[in-house]
């Protein structure tokens, strides 16, 4: 029927209009959509799952995003900053465990000077790993310096492409500046990752369809999408969160539209659903980002609740468990740095 035809066009042409996207996002039984995404994933990026070792090096943040537990005004969480030496040690552990990419993530913490960050990037690059940064909005010049120091990739989610919703959720920030950052990063030669939060209050399927069209338009190399999970002590603490099925549909559609991108099964997906990583891997994902930071800090990096159980090293997110999970899905572990292989 109509739906089958839509999915087939997407699978062969990797293109569809907004109405088609909305129709597919509204599917009650998306299993054919998921299967198509899984075939396209296998055909374009293969069975390898790339591991990106995540180090959350500071939870200080000067922003006030309504959904996020690390927002500056949240005085109920204990703040920490890792020492450069600690960050390097974690990266070394990652290298010794066979990881080929380190992701350095933090709140927007003005304390770290760009020169300090550049030195950290340079040290990690000496270990023959790719470096991804996820440290928010910076000036063009700062992005350029970090690139020169050796940073390869940058993650900056647009969160939502609906300007009105964006402004509502990000007081003091601007949608235009966020897009400016993404364009700068692209022009400077970074591999660029973006993505959205799914299930934000007021977000519609039409908005999500437009998010997907935006990702394709800017030719994102990487795409991270997860459910919004309401977090205590934030303005959205009493809202309803995003649902896993919508996230999976977004991932499947993203894979069909952009067959060769790198797309993680996100931590939030894994938190919201015990089987989140597995479901993500079956709906187009080819990346997982195990947390290789220090346990005492992991529990303080509370973007949303449930992120870290009492004993972090025993969670589904530990490196060993993730490797087992990947193999159990008849997938393999990526051996190289896992850059986007543009087709
Ligand atoms: N639920 C899910 N994801 C969240 N993020 C921030 N707060 C939440 C939340 N409450 C995501 C944002 C940000 C990324 C680092 O974490 O999308 O870009």
């Amino acid at each position: 029927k109509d739906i089958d035809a839509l999915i087939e066009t997407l699978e062969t042409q990797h293109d569809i209009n907004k109405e088609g996207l909305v129709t597919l996002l509204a599917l009650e039984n998306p299993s054919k959509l998921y299967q198509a995404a899984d075939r396209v994933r296998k055909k374009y990026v293969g069975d390898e799952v790339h591991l990106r070792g995540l180090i959350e090096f500071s939870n200080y943040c000067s922003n006030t995003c309504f959904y996020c537990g690390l927002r500056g005004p949240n005085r109920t969480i204990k703040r920490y900053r890792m020492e450069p030496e600690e960050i390097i040690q974690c990266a070394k552990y990652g290298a010794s465990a066979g990881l080929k990419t380190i992701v350095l993530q933090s709140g927007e913490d003005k304390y770290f000077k760009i020169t300090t960050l550049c030195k950290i990037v340079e040290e990690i690059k000496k270990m023959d790993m790719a470096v991804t940064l996820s440290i928010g909005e910076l000036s063009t010049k700062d992005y350029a310096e970090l690139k020169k120091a050796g940073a390869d990739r940058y993650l900056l989610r647009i969160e939502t492409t609906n300007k009105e919703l964006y402004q509502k959720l990000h007081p003091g920030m601007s949608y235009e500046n966020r897009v400016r950052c993404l364009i700068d990063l692209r022009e400077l030669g970074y591999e660029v990752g973006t993505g959205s939060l799914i299930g934000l209050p007021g977000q519609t399927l039409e908005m999500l369809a437009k998010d997907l069209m935006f990702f394709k338009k800017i030719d994102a190399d990487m795409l991270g999408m997860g459910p919004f999970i309401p977090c205590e002590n934030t303005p959205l603490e009493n809202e309803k969160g995003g649902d896993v099925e919508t996230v999976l549909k977004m991932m499947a559609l993203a894979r069909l539209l952009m067959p060769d991108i790198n797309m993680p099964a996100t931590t939030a997906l894994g938190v919201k659903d015990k089987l989140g990583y597995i479901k993500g891997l079956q709906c187009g994902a080819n990346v997982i980002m195990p947390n290789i930071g220090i346990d005492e800090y992991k529990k303080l990096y509370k973007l949303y609740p449930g992120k870290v159980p009492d004993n972090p090293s025993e969670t589904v997110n530990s490196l060993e468990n993730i490797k087992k999970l990947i193999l159990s899905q008849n997938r393999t572990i990526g051996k190289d740095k896992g850059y986007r292989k543009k087709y």
Side-chain angles (χ1 to χ4, degrees), residues 252-294:
L253 288 168
R255 174 59 70 198
L256 290 163
L257 281 169
M258 295 160 274
D260 61 3
I261 58 167
N262 284 322
M263 183 166 65
T266 57
T267 308
L269 185 61
V271 165
K272 180 89 196 198
D273 185 331
K274 278 190 180 51
L275 301 177
Y277 284 147
I278 292 176
K279 290 178 181 174
L281 289 177
Q282 291 172 346
C283 292
N286 70 324
V287 171
I288 295 185
M289 299 167 63
N291 192 324
I292 58 162
I294 297 169

Side-chain angles (χ1 to χ4, degrees), residues 65-70 105-106 134 155-159 178 195-198 200 224 226-231 234 236 268 301-305 307:
C65 311
F66 271 21
Y67 43 77
C68 183
L70 301 189
Q105 186 175 89
S106 69
S134 178
L155 308 178
L156 185 74
R157 291 184 179 175
I158 193 74
E159 315 292 359
R178 202 131 182 115
S196 26
L197 272 170
I198 293 162
L200 290 166
F228 156 58
I229 302 174
C231 182
T234 67
L236 303 185
Y301 203 82
K302 281 192 85 172
L303 302 167
Y304 45 81
K307 210 174 142 274

